[in-house]
Amino acid sequence: LRIREARLSSTEAAVAALREQQVPGTEEAAATEISTRKKTFSEVLAERLEQAQRTVLINCPSKINEKKFLKYLSSHGNIKNHFFYESYGTYAVVEFSEKDSIASLQDVTGTPQFKDECPVPFKSRIFTLTLKNPASQASEHTPVHRHKLTTVPLGGLIKKLRDADSVSDQLHILTEEYQLTEENTKLRFLTCSLIQDIAGAYFPACTVKPFGSSVNTFGKLGCDLDMFLDLDDGGKSTTRRKTGPFNLDYQMKRVPSERIATQRILSVIGEFIDNFGPGIAMRSSELLYIYGSLDPRVRALVLGVRCWARAHGITSSIPGSWITNFSLTMMVLFFLQKKNPPIVPTLDHLKELSDVQDKHVIEGHDCSFVSNLNKIKPTGNTQSLDVLLGDFFEYFGNFAFNKYSLNIRKGKEQNKPESSPLHIQNPFEPSLNISRNVNATQLERFISLARESAWLLQQDKGLSSSNGQLWGMAAILPELTANSASKGTKKKRGTTSDRLKGLLDSLKTNNSTNGKKTFCT
Ligand code: GTP
Ligand code: MG
C-alpha cells in the first residue's frame, strides 16, 4: 500500500506539472513513465522535504473529536494528510496542501500566558491545542488512533518468528516490524524542516536534510536521525560583478579556524542538531539507498543482520570499539557482491553507468555513480534469504580478516594496507578505514557469534520445532535484558527547543510505555 501511495503521489505531481505546462494528451504518458520507474534518491528527498514544509505539529488533548479538529483546521486550507502519534502526550501531524495555510493558522494563534514564566516569542510550526471548556466538551471527544513510533515487544515477535514458514519469511517479518513506517519517516523530515526554520533565522539560504539510515532504506524504528546542515545550499553564491572599479565583500566576523566557526554556528543554532556529517555522508546515503532499492533481499538481509548484531551487543548506541551499523551494512553489501552471480553490482560498475549529471567530486574525491535505478540490470541470482543469511554468517565466520580488507568499490578483498583488526575501505576516500574503531576483541566476538549462528541456522526446522526449540532467526536472537527505557515523564509544555528535543527523543528511543522488553536499535 505504501508503495502504491508513493507512486500515486509522484504520478499526481507529474500530471499536475504537465497541466501547468498545458501540454494536452501527454498526461497519461507521463503518469505511466513515473509510476513504472523507481524514484531517484534526490526525487524522494525533494518530495519529502517539500511535504514537510507544508506540515505542522500540534500537541492535542488525548481525547479529541477528530472530525471537529479537522474541520477547525480546514478553515485555513485543505488538509492533505494527517495522523496522530503518542510521545510525552498526543501529537497530530497535519499536512496542508498549500504552504500558505500555515501562515493563515499562525495568524490566529495566540501567545500563551504563564504565571511564573515568560514565553520566548519564537513562532514555530509547533502548536498546542486545548479545549475551551474541557468539562462541557468532554463527552463529544474520544481517544484517537495513535501510530506507533517505537519497536515491538519481544514476546509477540518471537511468537511470530516461530510461526513463520522459513527464514525468508522470518526476515520479511522482521523487516515489516522494524522498518521505518511512513509516519516515522514523515516525522523525520518534519524534524529537519523545523530545525531548518530555526537555522534559517540566522542563515536564510540554509537547508537541513536527513542522511544515514533515515533515508538510505536501511533504517530501523528507533535509529538516530542524522542531519546535514548546509549553510548556503550547495554554495549557490552570487557571481561577483567583474566590471567596475570596486570589489564588494560582506563584513564578517573572523574566527581562527573553520572548526571554531562550525562550533559557534552550532552553539547559536542550539543543541538541536545531533549529528553534523560531512558532504560525503550524503553521497554514501544515496549509495546505500540505491543498493537497498535494487532487490528486496538486500534490505531484509541488512535489517536482519542489524537486529542480530544489536541483540548480541555487537553494535551499540554508545560510540566505542564496536562494529557500527554502517560497517555491518558494508559487510552485507560486500558479501552480496561476492555471490555468484552477484546480487548487487560493485561501486565501480555504478560509476561506469553514471552520466554527466551524476558527476560529483567532493573535496577532491570522485563520488560519481548512477542515480537512475532503471539503468542497473537486475541480478540473475535467485538464492533465497534462507540460504543467504546462513551463507553470510558462514562467509564472515571464516573470512581472513587478518589479511584482507573489504572493498565494495571493486567487490573484492584486498591486502590490508595497515594492521587494524577490521578493515573496510571507505568507498569514497580509499585511504580511510570505516571500521578503524573496531578492536580485536569486538571482531573476535563477531566472528564467533557468526559461526555459532551459521551452525544454528543449519539445524533442521522440523526437528527443532517438534522439540519445542526456536529455529531460524528466533534461534539466533538471544533473550534480551529488560529494556524499559521509558525516559521518565517530561513536562507537557515546554519551549520549542524542549519540543524539538522531545520529537527527536521520540524518534530515537525505544521507550516502551508498558515496560515490556523491546529490541533497541
Ligand atoms: P544507524 O546505526 O541506524 O544510525 O545507521 P546509519 O547508517 O545512520 O549510521 P550512523 O548514524 O552511524 O552514520 C550516519 C551516516 O554517516 C552513515 O550512513 C554513513 O553515511 C556515514 N558514516 C558513518 N560512519 C562512517 C564512517 O566511519 N566513515 C564514513 N565515511 N562515513 C560514515
Ligand atoms: Mg544514523
Side-chain angles (χ1 to χ4, degrees):
L1 184 67
R2 265 207 294 284
I3 294 167
R4 265 190 49 203
E5 273 172 9
R7 284 194 172 157
L8 272 178
S9 63
S10 76
T11 310
E12 279 163 13
V15 171
L18 278 168
R19 276 209 186 102
E20 273 173 23
Q21 292 169 19
Q22 307 273 304
V23 186
T26 46
E27 288 180 15
E28 216 169 290
T32 315
E33 197 269 317
I34 298 205
S35 66
T36 50
R37 72 170 167 84
K38 289 181 182 167
K39 286 187 207 170
T40 65
F41 182 69
S42 26
E43 279 171 351
V44 173
L45 233 57
E47 194 175 297
R48 289 218 177 257
L49 283 168
E50 192 274 328
Q51 194 175 63
Q53 281 169 357
R54 290 184 276 105
T55 304
V56 296
L57 185 64
I58 306 178
N59 185 198
C60 305
S62 60
K63 288 182 176 174
I64 188 161
N65 184 322
E66 196 168 339
K67 246 182 162 172
K68 284 195 173 167
F69 169 73
L70 292 176
K71 194 171 163 213
Y72 175 73
L73 291 175
S74 297
S75 64
H76 301 282
N78 184 42
I79 295 170
K80 196 160 184 196
N81 191 291
H82 80 283
F83 65 91
F84 294 89
Y85 73 91
E86 174 82 30
S87 173
Y88 312 118
T90 301
Y91 281 85
V93 173
V94 180
E95 180 196 332
F96 286 100
S97 299
E98 307 289 337
K99 213 175 154 185
D100 294 348
S101 309
I102 295 173
S104 161
L105 180 65
Q106 281 169 328
D107 276 349
V108 300
T109 302
T111 305
Q113 301 298 322
F114 304 118
K115 217 171 119 218
D116 305 316
E117 290 163 317
C118 174
V120 179
F122 178 77
K123 294 180 177 170
S124 73
R125 278 183 284 144
I126 311 180
F127 307 94
T128 304
L129 182 105
T130 43
L131 301 178
K132 274 192 180 147
N133 298 304
S136 65
Q137 289 176 287
S139 60
E140 42 179 297
H141 298 283
T142 50
V144 281
H145 171 70
R146 284 163 285 191
H147 279 276
K148 69 162 193 178
L149 291 179
T150 52
T151 46
V152 283
L154 185 62
L157 184 71
I158 293 287
K159 184 171 180 317
K160 279 191 184 171
L161 293 181
R162 202 188 267 158
D163 294 345
D165 288 334
S166 61
V167 174
S168 299
D169 276 355
Q170 291 181 324
L171 283 173
H172 289 308
I173 290 169
L174 277 185
T175 308
E176 275 301 309
E177 295 286 350
Y178 285 116
Q179 69 188 346
L180 296 179
T181 58
E182 175 66 17
E183 289 76 23
N184 196 295
T185 303
K186 281 191 164 140
L187 265 177
R188 285 169 190 268
F189 278 86
L190 177 60
T191 307
C192 288
S193 164
L194 293 171
I195 290 174
Q196 181 175 306
D197 284 356
I198 290 160
Y202 298 96
F203 307 102
C206 77
T207 57
V208 176
K209 296 186 190 112
F211 71 98
S213 60
S214 300
V215 287
N216 68 19
T217 73
F218 299 117
K220 229 167 109 215
L221 283 175
C223 68
D224 67 1
L225 171 56
D226 305 293
M227 288 177 270
F228 178 70
L229 170 67
D230 195 346
L231 291 181
D232 62 353
D233 197 10
K236 286 179 217 140
S237 51
T238 45
T239 41
R240 225 178 233 282
R241 276 195 66 182
K242 292 209 176 74
T243 53
F246 304 111
N247 276 329
L248 195 59
D249 283 323
Y250 285 108
Q251 281 203 11
M252 285 181 177
K253 193 175 169 81
R254 279 178 260 182
V255 290
S257 68
E258 202 182 329
R259 184 178 167 77
I260 294 173
T262 303
Q263 282 171 346
R264 299 241 172 125
I265 290 162
L266 282 184
S267 73
V268 165
I269 292 167
E271 293 166 351
F272 303 127
I273 294 165
D274 253 2
N275 273 298
F276 198 74
I280 284 180
M282 278 311 278
R283 287 306 279 165
S284 55
S285 298
E286 174 159 4
L287 180 66
L288 295 189
Y289 170 89
I290 286 174
Y291 280 127
S293 310
L294 281 180
D295 185 299
R297 287 173 294 179
V298 182
R299 284 183 64 214
L301 199 61
V302 170
L303 279 163
V305 170
R306 281 187 172 204
C307 283
W308 168 83
R310 187 63 190 92
H312 284 281
I314 291 173
T315 53
S316 164
S317 51
I318 309 158
S321 51
W322 3 95
I323 298 177
T324 63
N325 274 329
F326 185 56
S327 297
L328 265 184
T329 308
M330 289 295 176
M331 290 169 95
V332 175
L333 294 176
F334 181 79
F335 161 76
L336 294 174
Q337 290 174 335
K338 295 285 290 184
K339 287 266 117 196
N340 187 14
I343 296 184
V344 296
T346 63
L347 178 51
D348 271 347
H349 181 66
L350 297 180
K351 188 177 156 189
E352 280 160 26
L353 295 175
S354 66
D355 54 31
V356 200
Q357 303 105 280
D358 297 328
K359 189 146 184 73
H360 279 85
V361 178
I362 301 171
E363 290 160 18
H365 301 288
D366 191 349
C367 305
S368 310
F369 53 82
V370 64
S371 57
N372 181 348
L373 287 153
N374 305 287
K375 283 198 193 166
I376 308 166
K377 247 174 90 192
T379 172
N381 186 316
T382 55
Q383 283 183 301
S384 73
L385 278 166
D386 293 54
V387 172
L388 293 175
L389 186 69
D391 281 4
F392 171 84
F393 290 126
E394 196 161 329
Y395 183 77
F396 284 115
N398 297 296
F399 189 85
F401 287 108
N402 56 338
K403 263 199 179 125
Y404 296 122
S405 158
L406 314 187
N407 179 341
I408 70 145
R409 184 165 276 285
K410 304 245 170 289
K412 268 197 210 132
E413 55 268 44
Q414 291 184 318
N415 287 334
K416 274 208 279 196
E418 35 105 352
S419 63
S420 308
L422 177 60
H423 199 285
I424 305 175
Q425 196 187 76
N426 181 318
F428 300 117
E429 288 178 77
S431 63
L432 301 182
N433 171 15
I434 66 159
S435 48
R436 211 175 66 138
N437 61 314
V438 179
N439 66 17
T441 317
Q442 289 303 324
L443 180 65
E444 277 155 25
R445 282 198 62 229
F446 170 83
I447 296 171
S448 68
L449 284 163
R451 285 183 188 167
E452 187 186 306
S453 299
W455 183 82
L456 285 168
L457 286 173
Q458 279 163 15
Q459 304 313 301
D460 184 74
K461 180 194 160 196
L463 203 65
S464 302
S465 302
S466 61
N467 292 340
Q469 282 166 354
L470 297 173
W471 62 275
M473 272 313 280
I476 64 169
L477 297 174
E479 276 289 314
L480 294 180
T481 48
N483 193 346
S484 52
S486 189
K487 300 260 178 207
T489 42
K490 284 212 172 165
K491 282 188 295 184
K492 244 180 127 187
R493 272 178 202 282
T495 60
T496 305
S497 97
D498 288 342
R499 297 282 182 80
L500 271 174
K501 276 190 195 146
L503 184 54
L504 276 172
D505 279 353
S506 63
L507 291 168
K508 243 170 69 174
T509 59
N510 54 319
N511 49 329
S512 65
T513 42
N514 51 11
K516 280 186 194 154
K517 286 182 189 177
T518 56
F519 269 132
C520 26
T521 61

